[in-house]
Amino acid sequence: MKKIYVNKNDSVALIIEKVIKSGEEEIVLYIPRGSDLASSRNNFKLVKREAQSAHKVISIESVDDDVLELADSFSIKALNPF
């Protein structure tokens, strides 16, 4: 399992690229509070779709309740590490 740290300003395309290029099949995305990724539901839809296409299993760690809620709405395993 690989943990990928997402920066607040990372674009959805950059995050997808990191997921696809990862050598691991299982990936945990750590998404910080206030991340641009949480600005649109479609971002989570895209990340999930592209991860599935690349045969990757993603989950999300975040302290941001909005991120956790968005991930859950697309059936992406999400948890608050604290």
Side-chain angles (χ1 to χ4, degrees), residues 31 33-35 37-39 41 44 62-73:
I31 303 173
R33 185 182 312 271
S35 172
L37 186 67
S39 66
R41 292 179 47 82
F44 284 82
S62 184
V63 295
D64 188 328
D65 290 335
D66 292 335
V67 169
L68 298 174
E69 189 175 309
L70 284 167
D72 188 52
S73 72

Side-chain angles (χ1 to χ4, degrees), residues 1-38:
M1 177 177 2
K2 179 172 182 161
K3 191 176 242 187
I4 296 175
Y5 290 88
V6 174
N7 293 317
K8 283 185 175 187
N9 298 321
D10 282 356
S11 68
V12 70
L14 178 61
I15 296 166
I16 290 169
E17 183 179 339
K18 289 179 181 181
V19 168
I20 291 171
K21 287 186 175 182
S22 171
E24 299 286 327
E25 184 178 313
E26 291 186 39
I27 299 161
V28 176
L29 295 175
Y30 177 80
I31 303 173
R33 185 182 312 271
S35 172
D36 287 347
L37 186 67

Side-chain angles (χ1 to χ4, degrees), residues 41-81:
R41 292 179 47 82
N42 286 332
N43 290 341
F44 284 82
K45 183 178 181 179
L46 284 170
V47 170
K48 181 178 180 177
R49 184 188 73 200
E50 295 302 318
Q52 288 177 330
S53 295
H55 305 289
K56 309 282 184 177
V57 177
I58 61 168
S59 58
I60 292 176
E61 280 187 10
S62 184
V63 295
D64 188 328
D65 290 335
D66 292 335
V67 169
L68 298 174
E69 189 175 309
L70 284 167
D72 188 52
S73 72
F74 288 101
S75 300
I76 299 171
K77 182 181 172 187
L79 62 101
N80 184 331

